[in-house]
Amino acid sequence: MIKKTLALATSAMILTACSNAQSQAEMPTVGGQTDAHGCLPNAGQSYSYVRKACVQVFDVADIKLDDPANKTQAVYGILSEDKQQVEVFASDLPENTILDVVKSGYVSKDGKVRLMKTKTSWEIRK
């Protein structure tokens, strides 16, 4: 008799718990708020205009180099599919910094930012 009562009580608790569960759409996003593009900055995501998607730049970058202005930070570059452009991510550059291909690397439209290929690595001039 005690086993039946205990089993009935356990079943009632399980059913009650299931009926109070929030749907997936109602649950808050883990990792914080999304930005204007739907990316999760708290999860390390940034929007890439070249890829047209949210990315973790440090995971998908085609180019990585030390920031000459701050050795504790890095500069990342994501190449377009056709390699005609590179999107540069650096702490002192605005979002959507896209450089166009030139003979020895990439340059911004105003000529102020250059990403140049050396014999062994990449070099940025800002």
Side-chain angles (χ1 to χ4, degrees):
M1 178 75 169
I2 294 176
K3 287 183 182 181
K4 286 183 182 181
T5 305
L6 186 57
L8 184 60
T10 303
S11 297
M13 287 190 301
I14 291 171
L15 290 174
T16 303
C18 290
S19 67
N20 289 333
Q22 292 179 322
S23 72
Q24 197 73 359
E26 296 172 0
M27 295 180 70
T29 304
V30 176
Q33 300 296 317
T34 58
D35 65 10
H37 303 287
C39 303
L40 293 167
N42 290 344
Q45 291 183 345
S46 298
Y47 185 76
S48 170
Y49 290 87
V50 169
R51 298 253 174 111
K52 296 178 178 40
C54 297
V55 297
Q56 289 182 317
V57 178
F58 48 87
D59 279 340
V60 300
D62 300 298
I63 300 168
K64 180 183 176 187
L65 58 142
D66 291 333
D67 190 337
N70 185 342
K71 295 294 183 190
T72 63
Q73 295 185 358
V75 175
Y76 298 98
I78 296 178
L79 296 170
S80 63
E81 195 172 311
D82 62 3
K83 297 187 176 20
Q84 295 300 300
Q85 294 182 315
V86 64
E87 183 173 8
V88 179
F89 294 84
S91 61
D92 60 346
L93 291 176
E95 179 180 330
N96 192 20
T97 299
I98 297 178
L99 313 180
D100 295 312
V101 72
V102 293
K103 186 175 181 177
S104 57
Y106 296 89
V107 66
S108 62
K109 292 192 187 322
D110 62 7
K112 293 182 179 179
V113 180
R114 299 181 69 83
L115 184 62
M116 310 310 287
K117 180 75 172 154
T118 66
K119 289 183 181 185
T120 58
S121 63
W122 288 89
E123 182 180 300
I124 190 161
R125 297 182 193 136
K126 306 182 249 182

